[in-house]
Amino acid sequence: MKRIFLTLITALSITYSYAQSPLSFNSRLESVTVYSTGAELNHKVKVSIPAGTSEIILNNMANAIDESSIQVGVPSSVTILSTSFSRDFLKTENKSPAYIKVEDSLQIVKRELNKVQNKRIVEENLLVLLDKNQAIGGVNTGVNVAELIKVADYYKSKQLELRNNIFSLKEAEAKQQERIDRMQQQLQELSLDKTGTTGQIVLQVMATAASNADFNVSYLSPNAAWIAFYDLRAENTSSPLNIVYKANVTQSTGLDWKKVKLSLSTGNPSQNGTAPLLSAWFLEFGEPQYAYDRKKQAYQNRIQTMEARVPMNKEVMADAAQPVLSQLQGKVAGVSIIQNENMLNASFDIEIPYDIASNSKPHSVTLKEFSQPANFKYYSVPKVDGDAFLMAEITNYDKLNLLPGEANIIFENSYVGKSFIDPNATTDTLNLSMGRDKKITIKREKVAEQTGVKFIGSSKKQTFTYEIRLRNGKKEAVNLLLKDQYPVSTDKDMEVELLAAEGAAINKETGVLTWKLSLKAGATETIRISYSVKYPKDKNILNLQ
């Protein structure tokens, strides 16, 4: 009986604890790790926990959370019974001060517009009334000239006054409507600011004794990301290439990140990390689906039985799973940034606290800056584009942990345009386009006197000759990789012959011609290519040129 009584008291105390009002505490955002998609947010919360079981609400969390990623660090005297996430509905209608200011101004302008529209309508109605009452006197009543002139002057002046008023009011309406349109666009932009639309983590906890404690909370939110972009700088083709590695960070988690410790990672925690497996691919003639499923299941069972017979060395597997870490440390503009690398990704730990607003706008963060030896050369395909492009070749680029991204190009202290870095190359050398150089002129023209058609029996033979003229207008010699092409036959009735290529490396499979040229300062050079195509004269080749 005593045991039953104690059990009843315990159950009643737990029920009473749950029936109590939940305890609410505000969290403080300490640090954020931003991934290519999503971010891990880390909070600290100071809580006062009563003895027994209670419900605790942790406020100021992100507005969207992957619930499976929630982790809460608590003292050993506290046991977490359950965790859940909910939106803070009391704050969903919160608006930023800037939004409220514009919204109030918009209401004022709309009221002013309504007043102007009312005035215009009244004036237009008066004009209609005036037009309907232009009959002077009765049918059998005559009007003398003096009265007629007086009435005519009145109608003239009144109509002119009304029409001028209507015109002015329409102009005022247009201006007010323009102001309204601008304000609505501004409101649309300000609506991206998700500050105030936050979330809550609800905990059911049980404590052995009342205490004050620090809870450490971390979770993943999808509403943040970063992308890489770069500045590529070179003084000239003899100097090394200076690469400034930057990041554009955006977030709309509902929380303004204020003075947080920021890390950027090249990983993606939301991506499925399970390696795919292939099962046998059975082809059957008209067999029902259940037969296919039966054979597939039998095959998979057989594979699992075989795997079970293979002994596993768990210690070796555990050792193999440990990441190999390396650490690079440097400073960018006096800011200490530590780059950590493991087998799967790299991260950049920025030592100074950062502020990033929850408005979906990109926030620039400089990650690192380094000088890289580069081999500069020019590249041109005048058949496609008549300009010469400066290319920077760098080796050992895999150590730089570059990501695909846009790059600003500054060459010889001048901004020359944008390029794109794609480090996912399969070669040992990474080619970076440094933009067009107008000081190298290249012209490709058809030589008319050596281009024509000849008829040979039942065939015709077309000959094409092109001349490529190059001039180096720079003060120093340049190396130029020049490419052109001749056609490749796809039919036994087509005979293609390369007549002249003047020192080019020839790829017979693709028809690509490559010249490696060295042009001295102020020098000119001319290259000529010629080819012929012979085919039946009763046929046409549409893309022959």
Side-chain angles (χ1 to χ4, degrees), residues 446-467:
K446 185 181 291 185
V447 182
E449 61 270 18
Q450 296 188 27
T451 299
V453 181
K454 291 183 179 179
F455 291 92
I456 307 170
S458 61
S459 301
K460 62 180 175 181
K461 184 177 182 180
Q462 284 188 262
T463 302
F464 298 86
T465 303
Y466 291 90
E467 193 173 75

Side-chain angles (χ1 to χ4, degrees), residues 84-147:
S84 61
F85 167 75
S86 67
R87 299 290 293 272
D88 191 350
F89 291 104
L90 294 178
K91 294 186 177 181
T92 54
E93 296 301 322
N94 282 10
K95 299 172 183 176
S96 67
Y99 188 98
I100 294 173
K101 184 178 179 180
V102 176
E103 190 176 45
D104 290 344
S105 300
L106 179 60
Q107 295 304 319
I108 293 172
V109 176
K110 283 184 175 180
R111 284 196 292 269
E112 292 298 320
L113 175 61
N114 188 257
K115 291 179 182 179
V116 174
Q117 289 173 334
N118 289 339
K119 289 180 180 179
R120 175 181 55 80
I121 292 171
V122 170
E123 295 288 276
E124 288 176 342
N125 288 340
L126 281 174
L127 184 61
V128 171
L129 182 63
L130 189 67
D131 290 340
K132 287 182 177 180
N133 291 273
Q134 291 184 9
I136 303 174
V139 176
N140 301 315
T141 304
V143 179
N144 62 43
V145 175
E147 290 177 344

Side-chain angles (χ1 to χ4, degrees), residues 247-261:
N248 269 339
V249 182
T250 58
Q251 66 103 352
S252 57
T253 60
L255 302 171
D256 281 341
W257 300 350
K258 295 181 178 179
K259 305 300 179 186
V260 300
K261 187 178 184 302

Side-chain angles (χ1 to χ4, degrees), residues 175-311:
K175 289 180 180 179
Q176 296 287 65
Q177 188 60 54
E178 187 178 346
R179 291 181 62 190
I180 289 173
D181 292 342
R182 288 200 303 267
M183 289 181 178
Q184 287 176 336
Q185 288 177 356
Q186 191 172 359
L187 281 180
Q188 186 175 3
E189 182 177 347
L190 290 171
S191 67
L192 298 175
D193 186 349
K194 301 300 182 182
T195 304
T197 308
T198 58
Q200 300 172 324
I201 291 179
V202 182
L203 305 177
Q204 301 291 343
V205 301
M206 184 171 63
T208 56
S211 64
N212 295 323
D214 286 337
F215 282 15
N216 296 307
V217 182
S218 67
Y219 54 83
L220 293 176
S221 174
N223 295 338
W226 75 279
I227 58 173
F229 73 103
Y230 306 87
D231 286 344
L232 303 180
R233 295 176 178 269
E235 295 292 330
N236 49 55
T237 55
S238 302
S239 63
L241 179 66
N242 190 51
I243 303 177
V244 182
Y245 196 165
K246 298 182 179 180
N248 269 339
V249 182
T250 58
Q251 66 103 352
S252 57
T253 60
L255 302 171
D256 281 341
W257 300 350
K258 295 181 178 179
K259 305 300 179 186
V260 300
K261 187 178 184 302
L262 187 65
S263 298
L264 304 180
S265 173
T266 60
N268 183 359
S270 61
Q271 189 174 18
N272 186 0
T274 304
L277 297 175
L278 283 177
S279 299
W281 183 359
F282 295 106
L283 294 181
E284 304 286 346
F285 281 112
E287 195 170 18
Q289 180 67 29
Y290 68 84
Y292 167 78
D293 293 339
R294 188 173 64 250
K295 288 186 178 181
K296 179 180 176 182
Q297 186 61 50
Y299 174 81
Q300 290 175 341
N301 292 340
R302 191 162 63 252
I303 293 296
Q304 290 172 2
T305 302
M306 293 171 63
E307 288 178 345
R309 293 173 183 170
V310 180

Side-chain angles (χ1 to χ4, degrees), residues 136-162:
I136 303 174
V139 176
N140 301 315
T141 304
V143 179
N144 62 43
V145 175
E147 290 177 344
L148 184 60
I149 293 173
K150 185 177 179 180
V151 172
D153 288 341
Y154 169 77
Y155 275 105
K156 178 180 178 181
S157 62
K158 195 61 179 177
Q159 279 210 358
L160 185 60
E161 177 188 346
L162 291 173

